[in-house]
Amino acid sequence: MICPNCSKQIDITDVMCSHCKQSIREEVVQNWQREIEQVVLGYEEHHGLVHGLQKDAIQNGWGHRVKNSAKDWCFEFYLFEIFDNINILTMTDIGGYGLTGKNMSRAEIPDELPEYERLARFEHMKFSGGNTQGAGLFGRGKLLFTAASEESHIIYDSLTEDGKYRLNERRLIGRRFDNFAKAYEDDNARDMLEQLIKGHVKPLNNTGTRIIIIKPKEEIVKAIKDGAFIDYITETWWQIPLKFEKRGAKIVVKTDKGVQQAKIPKEFSDVFIKKSNKYKVRMHESNNKIEFDYKGIRLQIKKTCFIVSPKPIPVQTRGIYLYRREMKIANLELKNVPEEIEDKFYGYAEIETDSELEKIYLDEKCEGPEHYSVAKKGIIRKLKTELQLHFEDFKAELGYKENTTKMVKEKTRRALLESLDELNRKMRELGVSISASSSKNDIMIRLKSIKFPRENENMVNINESIEKIKFKLINRSTWSRDLSVSVSTRKVRGETIETMFEDRIVLKGQDSKIVGPFSCKILLPKYPKERQIYICCTATDVVNGKILATNITPVFIEVNPPAADAPPVELTIQNITFPRGKSNRRVNYKEVITNIVYSITNKTPEKIKAVFKARALNAMSKSNEIEKIKEEMILLDPFSTQELQCPNIDVDKEKYSVLDREMGPVILRATLTAEEASKKFEKAVNIFTLKNKRKPDPLERKQLAISTDIFDRGDKLAKYDFKFWVNMDSGKGVFEDYRAWEGGPEEPCSKIQPESGGFICLLNETHPAYENLLENYDEDAIRNYTYEQLVRQTLNLILKRDILEYWPEVRGSKYKERMMKSDSDNFEKVEAFTSTLDYLYGEYLG
């Protein structure tokens, strides 16, 4: 082995060179394990590690191509097995610059590097890779490549334009990266490749760069072998074969079964290659580009294309996507797409390389670090507005009239969101922050067991029985409760059909009891055919006759259950204790959140095996995980509820200092992911296989799950977000959210509803005042109206909660004083209320 510093012969086991006395290897001191986890998490928020790997790898190679024309450029993925089921994945760009520039140790690399110092930029984790012609911005691929290896181990080599062959490796050991202090060069690099990989990979003989992933993760291997990987490439990079295939550019995936080459998807080849007249197309390019003014600058969109297919197209193609430097970025989410073409409409808007538009786009940092999203900032908002206007013209050409209902709902949604943000901002400014009192139910009823005639079905026939019906009564308080408990079958409207159990039960504090087992035989004429009924357990307070808890289980008699209109699992926080009590979610360093209990309810008739995860995320960038709280496999019985205790959350500085200025909101996110597919889904897959004489591919499985409202393995069953604030007071203002509500003319214009530890504002969209407002489709008027309702309900909430100390101060008036004085007359309080409302609303309008 040769020393990378002085090129003298040394032993491969040496840590320090005996000749120059310098370290053979270099250690990057940082918690790289956590950095890698954060990067992977960012990709998982979008399309996952596998999809992200192809996207980042090709983006690096495409950006490093020598010729703008891409003549004879190639990117090659090659998966092969060496021995004992150990796989190697190489990712090579052919026709690239290679890792050019000086060969420097980390200590020699300056703070600023020009683009041609590609080797130094790749080896120093601070820099992106000197990608001058591609869409790369953040340099996250270097970490993603390491994450793609089961052993967190990659080797990278390069042949530059001037004939230099270079090699280094990167391996994660514990929390730290380990690599050679300098890259090996020429014959020394070839010798080191032989030593590292035993001749299974030969040195490069074409200019470019290669990443060698040792033991790629199983999900990557599977995707390459079953064809999903090439599909991801085709979906993301189809513009390369469209524009450059005639010049020899290509992207290939090689395995022992052969070579697959990325092609143009049918949806685009039919339009651009075959020129089919079955597609309705509107193109803006060349002399017909979409132009607009932005901050005094005249900008152009290089190419815009609206297409309507004669047949439904794949889900991942639908919509108008933004493309930059031939790479698919994000759906721009145009509004008011007619229902008739929702599954057939697609297209793209392409930003021209090195244009004024691209410069502004980059300056405003619009693009997400994983290249799958765009922030709705100034230039993106303007771009979407212009595209929406041209899309409306395209719809008119096709003869589609405006979908009034959809337009109304969209205007309502947009106006409410903007008004809600402004209201909360103003109330925070005035010091108004209100939380709901999180009162818990002391008495709870859980379904303990139930046995239907057929497994995984809650449909029964006449003369069949439902057996082993048990309920668990739980008293969470510290005192005894005298209860009247009944178990019965009921019709949908509540009428009792049959009572199976009725008794008086005294339930001691912090105790529980089981009632049952019971059985129920479905016989005519007592039970109606083709109807839904419920098995119901109710606990009533003997003293005051108040119903304290109810548990109902749906049953369908000789009729198939309708498609699910709600998620299969309900997930919520049952209990959580903050240092300052229920209504204050502030947590300072060294303080602890305790008693975290989640309630998970299976709302289906089949057993569900799932993975529960709880994580703390930085609310300002939701893909940024602060810490894992809990991960556990659980098994949910049909219609049962399970409580899951989580560890305490210690808010220590080491973990939570990642927040901006060491303070800010944190999301406690819990998710439930299916570990096994629904039995109904498996039946649907079997039917598909019989019909098509093949198994569905990954995309078809996804579409099958969506169309049948049943879940596949890996599907998210439930998500629950709960916010708290570190080193700052709860900053949410007043309302957590809004919701449209069809209250009708006899209900008020708006009202308040407690939810998830906070409050939401319900806006009555069928009140005559609001319906009259919508007739003119005036978005500003809607925004003003909704803001006034939000202010009104804020003042109502302060009154209802009797927290008049939060009454907003109005400059030069004594309205707050009048509201707080116990001897104020009613008319004075009404006047103070309306005057405060008028002032705050007028300030908003002004």
Side-chain angles (χ1 to χ4, degrees):
M1 173 176 169
I2 299 297
C3 171
N5 300 299
C6 68
S7 300
K8 297 288 181 68
Q9 189 72 35
I10 59 172
D11 192 88
I12 195 169
T13 59
D14 285 350
V15 175
M16 181 175 287
C17 176
S18 58
H19 304 284
C20 66
K21 306 301 182 186
Q22 293 190 53
S23 175
I24 305 303
R25 308 188 75 87
E26 182 183 72
E27 187 174 61
V28 182
V29 182
Q30 189 167 335
N31 188 347
W32 289 110
Q33 177 66 52
R34 186 173 177 184
E35 293 284 339
I36 288 173
E37 289 173 358
Q38 297 289 355
V39 167
V40 172
L41 184 63
Y43 283 93
E44 291 297 340
E45 290 283 329
H46 299 286
H47 295 292
L49 170 67
V50 181
H51 198 288
L53 180 66
Q54 60 82 24
K55 190 169 190 175
D56 240 308
I58 296 171
Q59 169 246 301
N60 282 347
W62 184 240
H64 285 118
R65 69 189 187 278
V66 173
K67 299 174 181 176
N68 283 336
S69 66
K71 181 174 173 56
D72 298 327
W73 176 88
C74 175
F75 197 95
E76 176 190 277
F77 295 89
Y78 181 27
L79 176 72
F80 58 95
E81 186 177 309
I82 50 177
F83 55 84
D84 296 334
N85 294 319
I86 293 178
N87 289 300
I88 298 290
L89 174 62
T90 63
M91 307 187 302
T92 312
D93 72 88
I94 300 168
Y97 284 102
L99 298 178
T100 58
K102 296 177 184 177
N103 188 2
M104 296 179 275
S105 67
R106 184 174 181 272
E108 295 171 330
I109 296 175
D111 290 337
E112 299 294 332
L113 281 173
E115 298 297 337
Y116 62 79
E117 294 286 1
R118 293 179 176 87
L119 175 62
R121 295 181 72 91
F122 190 88
E123 300 214 316
H124 196 311
M125 302 305 292
K126 169 186 171 183
F127 295 98
S128 64
N131 188 332
T132 59
Q133 299 183 60
L137 299 171
F138 304 96
R140 292 163 74 86
K142 293 180 282 189
L143 291 175
L144 186 68
F145 301 154
T146 308
S149 166
E150 291 283 5
E151 298 180 344
S152 300
H153 183 196
I154 65 171
I155 299 166
Y156 49 96
D157 59 348
S158 176
L159 184 62
T160 65
E161 273 192 304
D162 57 3
K164 278 195 175 296
Y165 179 60
R166 291 169 159 177
L167 175 140
N168 209 332
E169 69 167 340
R170 185 166 291 147
R171 186 195 301 262
L172 188 66
I173 299 177
R175 299 188 307 170
R176 304 181 178 188
F177 269 136
D178 184 67
N179 51 267
F180 295 117
K182 283 187 177 181
Y184 282 90
E185 294 190 330
D186 301 327
D187 288 342
N188 294 335
R190 294 180 179 90
D191 291 342
M192 182 50 65
L193 180 67
E194 174 68 28
Q195 292 181 52
L196 289 173
I197 210 159
K198 311 301 180 191
H200 293 292
V201 177
K202 301 299 181 186
L204 292 170
N205 53 23
N206 289 296
T207 59
T209 302
R210 174 173 59 192
I211 310 294
I212 304 168
I213 298 177
I214 309 301
K215 292 186 70 174
K217 289 186 173 177
E218 182 56 36
E219 59 192 293
I220 297 169
V221 174
K222 182 177 182 298
I224 291 174
K225 288 184 175 180
D226 67 19
F229 198 73
I230 193 71
D231 290 341
Y232 295 156
I233 294 170
T234 295
E235 171 216 334
T236 309
W237 294 100
W238 61 270
Q239 286 201 354
I240 292 179
L242 176 68
K243 296 177 182 180
F244 302 99
E245 194 170 55
K246 290 180 180 178
R247 299 170 187 171
K250 59 184 178 180
I251 305 169
V252 298
V253 179
K254 293 172 59 177
T255 65
D256 56 359
K257 292 184 179 179
V259 180
Q260 297 172 301
Q261 184 169 333
K263 298 293 184 184
I264 307 166
K266 176 178 170 58
E267 297 80 37
F268 293 105
S269 65
D270 280 355
V271 173
F272 297 114
I273 306 300
K274 298 179 182 178
K275 309 288 186 181
S276 170
N277 58 11
K278 294 180 180 179
Y279 292 76
K280 298 168 184 176
V281 181
R282 181 171 183 174
M283 188 83 71
H284 293 273
E285 60 179 336
S286 301
N287 297 324
N288 185 34
K289 293 179 182 178
I290 294 177
E291 296 186 351
F292 58 94
D293 290 318
Y294 181 70
K295 295 183 178 180
I297 303 172
R298 191 67 175 168
L299 302 176
Q300 292 183 332
I301 305 173
K302 179 182 179 181
K303 185 183 290 187
T304 306
C305 189
F306 301 124
I307 309 171
V308 177
S309 168
K311 295 180 180 179
I313 58 172
V315 174
Q316 73 272 17
T317 305
R318 297 172 192 171
I320 299 299
Y321 277 84
L322 184 68
Y323 281 75
R324 188 171 73 85
R325 303 197 178 206
E326 287 69 53
M327 183 168 74
K328 180 181 181 181
I329 306 291
N331 191 339
L332 292 171
E333 299 175 351
L334 297 191
K335 307 301 180 185
N336 306 324
V337 179
E339 290 182 10
E340 301 93 324
I341 62 170
E342 274 184 329
D343 58 354
K344 303 172 186 175
F345 173 64
Y346 64 108
Y348 61 91
E350 187 177 347
I351 295 177
E352 187 162 9
T353 301
D354 293 328
S355 63
E356 285 295 325
L357 177 56
E358 186 182 52
K359 289 173 186 174
I360 293 171
Y361 174 90
L362 297 178
D363 287 343
E364 292 190 1
K365 297 181 171 59
C366 296
E367 199 167 303
E370 296 85 15
H371 309 294
Y372 287 105
S373 62
V374 286
K376 294 177 176 62
K377 297 185 178 181
I379 190 62
I380 293 297
R381 286 200 301 267
K382 182 64 176 173
L383 186 67
K384 287 179 64 175
T385 299
E386 294 299 322
L387 290 172
Q388 187 71 48
L389 289 171
H390 285 81
F391 174 57
E392 297 299 332
D393 288 343
F394 179 55
K395 284 194 302 182
E397 282 181 10
L398 298 179
Y400 289 106
K401 294 182 179 180
E402 184 60 80
N403 186 324
T404 305
T405 302
K406 277 196 169 185
M407 187 177 71
V408 168
K409 286 184 177 179
E410 174 56 24
K411 284 183 180 288
T412 304
R413 186 194 69 82
R414 186 164 54 238
L416 273 167
L417 274 175
E418 292 176 4
S419 299
L420 180 66
D421 286 345
E422 177 59 25
L423 183 278
N424 281 335
R425 185 200 66 76
K426 181 63 180 175
M427 290 303 132
R428 284 197 300 271
E429 184 182 297
L430 295 171
V432 180
S433 181
I434 307 170
S435 297
S437 57
S438 55
S439 58
K440 61 185 180 183
N441 296 325
D442 291 333
I443 303 300
M444 303 175 72
I445 303 174
R446 305 294 194 213
L447 180 67
K448 184 69 176 173
S449 69
I450 190 167
K451 184 179 180 183
F452 289 100
R454 282 162 294 280
E455 191 175 8
N456 304 315
E457 288 186 11
N458 57 336
M459 194 268 282
V460 297
N461 296 322
I462 298 297
N463 296 323
E464 292 181 335
S465 294
I466 306 168
E467 299 180 341
K468 296 183 180 180
I469 305 168
K470 292 183 186 178
F471 292 95
K472 184 178 183 179
L473 308 174
I474 304 166
N475 182 2
R476 299 178 63 196
S477 70
T478 56
W479 58 88
S480 294
R481 303 299 294 266
D482 193 355
L483 305 173
S484 173
V485 179
S486 69
V487 177
S488 60
T489 52
R490 295 184 184 178
K491 295 180 181 178
V492 171
R493 293 188 177 182
E495 303 99 316
T496 299
I497 302 173
E498 177 181 8
T499 299
M500 291 173 272
F501 173 82
E502 192 166 25
D503 202 358
R504 185 170 175 176
I505 294 175
V506 176
L507 197 57
K508 294 180 181 179
Q510 301 293 310
D511 197 7
S512 63
K513 284 188 178 179
I514 303 291
V515 294
F518 311 111
S519 63
C520 171
K521 188 152 188 178
I522 307 299
L523 297 171
L524 291 173
K526 186 185 296 183
Y527 289 94
K529 278 187 176 184
E530 299 182 359
R531 289 290 186 274
Q532 177 182 350
I533 64 168
Y534 295 106
I535 297 174
C536 183
C537 179
T538 302
T540 305
D541 191 312
V542 171
V543 177
N544 58 26
K546 182 180 178 181
I547 295 176
L548 301 178
T550 302
N551 185 293
I552 61 173
T553 303
V555 178
F556 296 87
I557 302 174
E558 295 195 350
V559 62
N560 289 322
D565 59 357
V569 176
E570 184 178 275
L571 174 64
T572 187
I573 281 188
Q574 184 68 46
N575 192 55
I576 188 167
T577 302
F578 289 94
R580 289 163 184 76
K582 299 174 184 177
S583 62
N584 192 335
R585 299 189 215 165
R586 176 177 180 140
V587 191
N588 294 336
Y589 285 156
K590 298 184 180 179
E591 292 182 336
V592 183
I593 304 171
T594 60
N595 303 320
I596 307 168
V597 180
Y598 283 91
S599 174
I600 307 167
T601 302
N602 181 358
K603 302 173 83 173
T604 76
E606 58 179 296
K607 285 187 177 182
I608 293 179
K609 188 177 183 181
V611 176
F612 171 88
K613 289 183 182 178
R615 301 173 290 151
L617 308 176
N618 183 347
M620 304 308 291
S621 57
K622 294 180 183 178
S623 64
N624 190 359
E625 181 180 291
I626 298 172
E627 66 170 320
K628 288 184 175 67
I629 309 299
K630 187 180 182 72
E631 182 170 346
E632 182 178 322
M633 186 82 71
I634 62 171
L635 187 64
L636 296 167
D637 288 326
F639 299 110
S640 67
T641 298
Q642 185 171 323
E643 291 184 355
L644 201 63
Q645 179 87 40
C646 281
N648 294 341
I649 299 176
D650 296 306
V651 180
D652 62 72
K653 186 172 183 179
E654 182 182 355
K655 294 176 185 173
Y656 287 83
S657 61
V658 297
L659 298 170
D660 185 29
R661 298 187 301 276
E662 299 190 3
M663 62 167 56
V666 174
I667 289 176
L668 177 58
R669 172 169 293 175
T671 57
L672 207 66
T673 306
E675 182 66 16
E676 294 177 352
S678 162
K679 302 300 180 187
K680 291 180 181 178
F681 181 77
E682 291 177 353
K683 287 182 181 178
V685 169
N686 290 337
I687 292 169
F688 179 99
T689 304
L690 288 171
K691 182 179 178 180
N692 297 280
K693 296 182 180 178
R694 64 176 179 82
K695 292 183 178 180
D697 63 29
L699 179 59
E700 288 168 332
R701 285 182 69 96
K702 189 172 183 178
Q703 290 174 326
L704 195 60
I706 292 170
S707 64
T708 54
D709 285 321
I710 44 183
F711 57 89
D712 191 3
R713 183 180 187 275
D715 284 352
K716 285 278 194 313
L717 301 177
K719 182 180 83 169
Y720 188 85
D721 284 352
F722 192 84
K723 195 177 285 187
F724 63 91
W725 285 262
V726 173
N727 296 330
M728 65 181 292
D729 291 328
S730 303
K732 66 182 180 59
V734 179
F735 296 110
E736 295 274 358
D737 203 355
Y738 78 90
R739 189 171 302 148
W741 158 56
E742 295 184 1
E746 295 181 1
E747 291 289 338
C749 294
S750 57
K751 66 180 182 179
I752 307 161
Q753 179 172 297
E755 191 169 294
S756 300
F759 292 95
I760 62 171
C761 183
L762 299 178
L763 183 75
N764 185 356
E765 61 179 11
T766 53
H767 191 281
Y770 191 65
E771 288 181 329
N772 183 62
L773 188 70
L774 293 177
E775 286 181 7
N776 298 318
Y777 304 129
D778 186 336
E779 198 166 335
D780 286 336
I782 296 170
R783 189 181 297 106
N784 296 341
Y785 175 88
T786 53
Y787 186 83
E788 182 186 15
Q789 294 303 316
L790 287 164
V791 174
R792 185 186 304 276
Q793 293 308 330
T794 298
L795 300 180
N796 279 335
L797 188 55
I798 292 172
L799 281 172
K800 288 179 180 179
R801 297 292 309 281
D802 193 22
I803 46 175
L804 294 170
E805 64 273 18
Y806 282 137
W807 196 264
E809 296 276 8
V810 174
R811 191 169 45 231
S813 72
K814 296 184 178 180
Y815 300 141
K816 181 174 182 178
E817 182 182 326
R818 288 186 204 172
M819 295 300 300
M820 294 186 71
K821 283 177 63 175
S822 59
D823 58 349
S824 292
D825 291 331
N826 286 340
F827 81 87
E828 290 181 303
K829 290 191 174 183
V830 170
E831 184 184 45
F833 183 102
T834 55
S835 297
T836 304
L837 171 62
D838 289 345
Y839 176 85
L840 293 173
Y841 182 46
E843 188 180 49
Y844 170 76
L845 294 176

